[in-house]
Amino acid sequence: QVQLVESGGGLVQAGGSLRLTCTASRRLFRDNTMVWYRQAPGKQRELVSTITSDGRVDYVDSVKGRFTISRDNAKNTVYLQMDNLKPEDTAVYYCNAEGPYRGYVIASWGQGTQVTVSS
């Protein structure tokens, strides 16, 4: 059973924008903090942003002021608006639901969505 579907990635020039979308199963989405991770080639998966069920957000320092996370609870969907993209943002982006502590995710990873930023 597919629980997470990410979309919205693509190729963009530095300074450009993309909006990522993640649709989750209702059981996974409901009442859980949703998270976006990314994994660049040869690097470990990195937590990028989180949003609680009541809308509190957090970001890794490298994307603060450029990325905005949001969620639509009626649609079981979480978004990541990415502005002023930089080449170092190039990665596969994944969403998930956070477990009882930071770094623990509930579901199996989806296929992710590739973001490539050219200089």
Side-chain angles (χ1 to χ4, degrees):
Q1 180 182 359
V2 177
Q3 299 191 78
L4 297 159
V5 179
E6 302 96 340
S7 63
L11 173 62
V12 64
Q13 289 188 332
S17 297
L18 286 171
R19 189 193 195 204
L20 306 185
T21 299
C22 169
T23 302
S25 64
R26 184 172 183 273
R27 182 177 65 85
L28 182 63
F29 190 89
R30 184 181 58 191
D31 298 328
N32 284 320
T33 293
M34 297 300 293
V35 297
W36 281 100
Y37 279 76
R38 66 185 178 187
Q39 187 167 21
K43 295 188 176 181
Q44 289 189 332
R45 197 166 291 175
E46 171 191 35
L47 178 61
V48 175
S49 184
T50 65
I51 184 166
T52 65
S53 57
D54 59 354
R56 286 173 287 130
V57 301
D58 197 12
Y59 304 93
V60 67
D61 285 346
S62 60
V63 308
K64 283 181 180 178
R66 300 188 298 120
F67 290 12
T68 304
I69 191 171
S70 61
R71 64 191 288 162
D72 185 334
N73 291 335
K75 296 181 178 180
N76 301 328
T77 298
V78 60
Y79 305 97
L80 187 67
Q81 177 67 41
M82 306 187 297
D83 298 316
N84 191 22
L85 282 160
K86 302 177 180 181
E88 52 262 43
D89 295 319
T90 295
V92 179
Y93 284 71
Y94 303 86
C95 69
N96 215 309
E98 188 170 77
Y101 55 86
R102 185 56 47 89
Y104 183 95
V105 296
I106 294 175
S108 299
W109 294 104
Q111 83 287 354
T113 186
Q114 175 71 49
V115 171
T116 303
V117 184
S118 64
S119 57

